[in-house]
Each structure stands twice: as structure tokens, then as C-alpha cells.
Amino acid sequence: MFARKISAYVLLLIFLFSFLIKLYPLYHGYTVPLGAVDTSFHIASALDLYEGNFKSTIHPWWHLKNHYLVDGYDIVDRNAASFFYPPFLHIALALGFGLMHPGIAAMIVVSLLYALSVIAVFLLCKSFKFKDMAALASSALIGLSAPLIYSQNYGFWTFAISLNFLILSYSFLRLKSRKFTVISIVFYFLALITHWAFFPLAVMIGLVELLVDKNKESKLYILLAVLVALPFYAYIFY
């Protein structure tokens, strides 16, 4: 029990350290997140949601009224006819905008979501029966990853945030319990409403668990993954 408490405290320290490192633009006085097209789109959509314009979730990128310009030019790609984008990140950012300056809130919210990689990798390692020391070392390596920090500040990649949620989903699925399978589906849902591409990946990990590890909970997991994705994909194609 004592060893578990120590591991939990160390994991929390790694998470906080990873989060604080990812805030380094703030320490240099930046109040607007770094990045180009992705960042501009996500912040513009979040600003619309914060102001009560929920129609922005089904408009093409260039219809968002809160665009940031660079040297007078709109940097959003007008050839990208994406009429719907999963709303999780925009909702999370909009909630942050209600508390502080949008640029500062954006960096804090995204840094927290990226720092989840520390917890996700730790739980994944533990699901494979890694010892605490090895799991903590793995979480520290991913939490202090230079590519992750770079990608965060380059464009708020929702793929990386979704991957954190899917790793958490997979980790709970591997516990082979009905209660944890429900938690697993919740994290899968968060992954799906962050980036639309994570439905086939969820089905893939369900099949791997079913065929390789003989995890009976995988059947329920795959069924729920399909049911959750159906209305979502129907709306996208509509």
C-alpha cells in the first residue's frame, strides 16, 4: 500500500512537471498560442462557441467570424471544405475562455490535455504488468517528449489529444471488468469527439484484445464503439 502511494505521488509530480514544461511560451510573455492553421481554426471555433454561436460547428472553416489574420491575410485554407469538426477541444477551450484571456486559457487547456499522456502511458504499462518503476520511467519519457511539446505549440493537434484518450480507453479495457469496460467506452467517446478518425482504431484494439488476449469484454466494447460512432458518422456524412 505504501509503495502504491509513493508511485501515485511520483506520477502526479511527473504529470505536473510535464504540464509546466508545456507552458513555456507563457514564461516568455506569449499571450497568443503559437501555431498556424490548426490553432487559428480551433481558437476561432472556440470563440464562436463561447459567444453562443453554435452554428460554427457545422460551417466550413472560412465561415468562422473570429479568424486571426497574419499580415492582413486569412491563414485558413479555403480549399479545406470541412463542414463539421468534432467539438470536444472547442468546448474545452470555450470553457477556459470564460475564466481568463483566450490565448492564455488555450495554452493552459491544451497543455493539460497533452500532459494526460503521462497518466495514459503509466496505466497502459500497468495493464501489461510492468513494475511501477518501469511504468513511471515510461510516463516520464513521454511526458517530457520534445516532439509532443513541439506539436502542441505548432498546431494543437487533436490527433495527439485523441490518442491520449484512446490509450486510456485501451488500458481500462485490458482490466477485463464490466465496470472498467464502461469507463473504457467513456474515454473512447472522448477520443471520437476530439478526432473523427478514432473509430476504426477503437475497433482494431477491441479485435486485438478479443483475438489475442481472449478478452470477453471486447465484444461489448466493439458493439458500444459502433453504436456510439453511428450517429456521429451519420451527422458527418449528412
Side-chain angles (χ1 to χ4, degrees):
M1 183 64 70
F2 179 75
R4 287 185 177 180
K5 285 185 176 181
I6 293 296
S7 296
Y9 290 141
V10 172
L11 181 64
L12 179 60
L13 287 174
I14 295 172
F15 172 81
L16 292 175
F17 191 57
S18 174
F19 167 63
L20 292 174
I21 284 181
K22 290 172 172 59
L23 289 178
Y24 82 89
L26 283 179
Y27 310 144
H28 292 280
Y30 289 98
T31 56
V32 176
L34 308 178
V37 174
D38 286 3
T39 302
S40 174
F41 165 61
H42 294 318
I43 291 181
S45 186
L47 282 169
D48 275 355
L49 292 178
Y50 172 63
E51 294 173 3
N53 178 16
F54 296 97
K55 292 182 180 179
S56 66
T57 59
I58 57 172
H59 284 178
W61 290 13
W62 58 90
H63 284 178
L64 299 176
K65 65 182 179 64
N66 283 309
H67 277 177
Y68 287 105
L69 304 180
V70 174
D71 296 328
Y73 292 96
D74 189 332
I75 62 175
V76 175
D77 181 7
R78 293 175 181 268
N79 293 317
S82 177
F83 288 84
F84 175 78
Y85 200 93
F88 175 80
L89 180 58
H90 303 152
I91 294 172
L93 290 174
L95 291 174
F97 294 169
L99 301 175
M100 62 191 76
H101 181 280
I104 295 175
M107 282 189 272
I108 291 175
V109 169
V110 173
S111 295
L112 278 171
L113 292 172
Y114 264 71
L116 279 178
S117 60
V118 169
I119 297 173
V121 168
F122 177 82
L123 292 179
L124 180 66
C125 290
K126 293 301 295 180
S127 76
F128 280 96
K129 310 301 182 183
F130 281 35
K131 292 184 178 180
D132 283 2
M133 187 62 69
L136 289 170
S138 300
S139 66
L141 286 174
I142 197 69
L144 306 178
S145 164
L148 270 185
I149 296 173
Y150 175 77
S151 71
Q152 167 199 335
N153 289 289
Y154 182 73
F156 288 7
W157 288 4
T158 51
F159 194 93
I161 296 171
S162 289
L163 185 58
N164 282 340
F165 288 136
L166 193 69
I167 292 172
L168 287 167
S169 177
Y170 184 37
S171 301
F172 282 104
L173 174 62
R174 286 187 49 79
L175 296 179
K176 301 179 181 179
S177 160
R178 184 57 51 89
K179 176 178 67 175
F180 288 123
T181 300
V182 173
I183 297 174
S184 177
I185 286 295
V186 170
F187 280 113
Y188 155 71
F189 176 71
L190 292 176
L192 187 65
I193 65 171
T194 304
H195 197 293
W196 59 269
F198 276 73
F199 166 63
L201 292 178
V203 172
M204 185 184 302
I205 64 174
L207 289 173
V208 168
E209 278 296 292
L210 180 63
L211 299 176
V212 177
D213 206 30
K214 310 302 180 184
N215 186 346
K216 295 180 180 179
E217 291 296 321
S218 295
K219 294 180 180 180
L220 176 63
Y221 181 86
I222 294 172
L223 175 62
L224 292 177
V226 172
L227 293 177
V228 168
L230 276 177
F232 185 77
Y233 275 85
Y235 185 69
I236 289 178
F237 288 117
Y238 173 77

